[in-house]
Amino acid sequence: MNAAACGKIQTVNYLLEQGADPLLEGKDGWSLLHFASQAGNVTIIETMLCKVLTLILRGCTMGMTPLMIAIVKDKVEATNYLLDKGADPLIQTSSGLNSLHLASISGNFTMIDAIHSHGLDIDIKDNDGHTSLMLLHLLSRSWKL
């Protein structure tokens, strides 16, 4: 997991060849795919997907998927790769945020466009009925307090 988080593909491959279990999870429920997504390393993500890891694995921390981790960490290439491989942008965190909400909060227009182009309704709401635009307004108000 540390090798994946640091983007060390050769180390990941070596450890897998030596029998390391790619399905184990860390204490927060994160899989190897979560850590690879955090690093934004598409080669490691691809390696993990070849090991039949599911794209919807969630970590225990707010129910974040690997796609969500890539979005929050501003990893555009990894986000596009995961979306192209079928990651579901509609999955919500435990607080009801989906991939579009997270991308909007980060303010990365490239990321917002990538997610929106995969069919996500721009006005989709979270559990509290807030759209991405509403969340930006709420956040900007709270930062000024």
Side-chain angles (χ1 to χ4, degrees):
M1 291 177 188
N2 286 327
C6 294
K8 305 291 184 185
I9 185 63
Q10 291 176 330
T11 305
V12 169
N13 285 333
Y14 176 79
L15 292 169
L16 290 171
E17 289 168 7
Q18 299 305 310
D21 185 352
L23 300 176
L24 292 178
E25 295 178 352
K27 72 174 188 149
D28 292 330
W30 278 27
S31 69
L32 206 52
L33 190 54
H34 284 88
F35 286 103
S37 297
Q38 177 183 9
N41 190 311
V42 173
T43 304
I44 296 176
I45 294 169
E46 184 176 29
T47 299
M48 295 304 97
L49 293 179
C50 289
K51 300 290 180 192
V52 194
L53 295 178
T54 178
L55 290 173
I56 61 168
L57 288 173
R58 297 173 186 242
C60 294
T61 310
M62 294 181 58
M64 301 280 279
T65 65
L67 174 63
M68 292 172 178
I69 299 300
I71 291 167
V72 168
K73 293 298 182 178
D74 232 14
K75 305 298 182 182
V76 176
E77 185 180 3
T79 297
N80 284 323
Y81 183 81
L82 288 165
L83 286 167
D84 289 344
K85 291 297 181 181
D88 186 355
L90 289 172
I91 293 174
Q92 296 179 330
T93 65
S94 55
S95 61
L97 300 176
N98 63 43
S99 297
L100 186 60
H101 295 130
L102 295 171
S104 297
I105 290 168
S106 77
N108 186 323
F109 301 118
T110 304
M111 198 83 74
I112 294 167
D113 188 52
I115 295 163
H116 181 59
S117 71
H118 278 80
L120 210 59
D121 178 6
I122 201 77
D123 288 324
I124 194 165
K125 296 179 179 179
D126 68 8
N127 289 348
D128 295 323
H130 299 123
T131 65
S132 295
L133 189 59
M134 291 174 187
L135 287 170
L136 287 174
H137 176 71
L138 291 172
L139 286 173
S140 67
R141 283 185 30 192
S142 68
W143 287 336
K144 292 179 183 178
L145 295 177

